[in-house]
Amino acid sequence: MFTDVAQAESRIAQDTQLAMGTVMAYRIWGTNAQACLEAVFGEIARLEGLFSRFDPDSEISRINRSAGRSSEAVSFTTMQMLRQALDICAECPGYFDPTIGPLVALWNIGKGSFAVPGAAKIQRALDLVDYRDLLLDPAQGTAGLRRSGQSLDLGGIAKGFAADQVMNIFQEYDVRSAYANLGGNVAAWGGRPDGFPWQVGIQHPRSTNGLIGAVAVRNGVVVTSGDYQRFVTDPQGRRFHHLLDASSGYPAATDLLSVTVAADSGVLADAYATSLFIAGKAGARRMLREHPEIEAVLVGQGGQIYVTKGLAERFQPAEGIRVKIFD
Amino acid sequence: MIGWLIALVVVAALAIAGWKGWRYIEREHKEARSLPLDAVDFSKLKDGTYTGEYEGGMYKWRANSVRVTVSGGKVTQIEPLSGIEDQGDGKTQMLYDRVIQAQSLQVDTISGATLTANAYLQAVENALLQAE
């Protein structure tokens, strides 16, 4: 009997896929591993179909096309995500905004040719960014944007939301040990098959093959936002990263290189990793004081690593990396 | 003739003794070879100084003890206390140095990694496997 259980638990299903514009990798242990993996694939495809800005038939594309004219009927899932997005806007004012679409389209960082947009154009796009213009009617199941030209971009939250959905599937399939790496957003479910917590490495923002350390996680999501993930350098050697500041209209002028957030919820981890990065060290300190449930590892401009107190025990720095407590 | 017989008995006795002795050594070797080294979770080390002992197998030939210092969550020093003879070539110390160096991060996956060529290749490979 015990052997049967052991054999079942040693069953593993793993795969990678290209989805949501990135690479996703899964490893799942347990009796239902294969069925669970298939369900995860199905869910990711479904979410991509709902949220993609590049798929004209997605619900987000429909909302964007109807901006300033009408609201669109949306699925429960899309409504759920947009509501969560608005909740976070209220908590991270100025740093996170799902209506950032016009700015993202204008800068177009990491997608083809690049030129710094003119100040007037930036201002025009910036005027369209305002989450209060996202009109949700949960009773009717509709979502719309108040002004013409406004558009949603869920880049700062969609993969985090997907991580939460994937964890729900792990739970549904009674999986005890699994992880999903959704383009660098890691959903760690249960612990490792050997009973230890998952060790999630954190990418070094300036060394492609390097890690700054690893964080031990059970049932949580780890997300890293940094200036190194997507950026362009102009002929003058100036670096423009893809994390746009919804209050200035420019790539965030931050004194951080990257921020990693570990949280129970993928939506929170994703949105806070971006928001704390954009906020910079001082802003991040303020936000983290107000939200003790958020644990983070921050890399300062000089390469100094800061770890929140609650995470210090679970963070193991890489060789030669020195860490300060962030409080 | 008697001389031959005596010689034969002596050789046989030596052979039996040798075989028996070898069996003893062999058991000890076997045990040493199959010593289970349980995975240490290096992420969970608490600062302090710890003494570790190994009772040394069946015949206690390998009994030894060491003192390990953990500071900043990492193994920083391993000192032999007893039962360890450095054979003049520094090999034992080299072994300890390797433990200190090798406590690299054993990570399962990486957060915030940019899309690496490897990941792409893996996906391509998986796609091709399905295409077979």
Side-chain angles (χ1 to χ4, degrees), chain A residues 15-16 18 21-23 179 181 183-184 186 192 196-203 211 213-214 222-224 228-229 260 313 316-319, chain B residues 39-44 46 72-74 100-116 119-120 122-124 126 130:
Chain A
D15 211 339
T16 45
L18 291 172
T22 187
V23 178
Y179 71 78
N181 191 332
V186 176
R192 292 196 320 208
F196 284 116
W198 292 105
Q199 289 295 320
V200 180
I202 299 174
Q203 174 69 40
L211 299 178
V222 182
V223 177
T224 301
Y228 64 94
Q229 288 158 327
T260 300
E313 279 234 328
Q316 186 198 358
E319 194 75 42
Chain B
V40 171
D41 187 352
F42 280 98
S43 70
K44 291 190 137 171
K46 294 239 162 35
K74 298 187 70 107
I100 293 172
Q101 281 164 14
Q103 51 183 334
S104 58
L105 302 162
Q106 305 263 332
V107 303
D108 298 296
T109 187
I110 299 169
S111 163
T114 45
L115 308 178
T116 63
Y120 268 124
Q122 181 69 56
V124 171
N126 287 333
Q130 288 165 30

Side-chain angles (χ1 to χ4, degrees), chain A residues 139-153:
Chain A
Q140 295 293 317
T142 61
L145 291 161
R146 197 190 304 270
R147 291 182 281 151
S148 151
Q150 289 188 307
S151 65
L152 295 171
D153 183 296

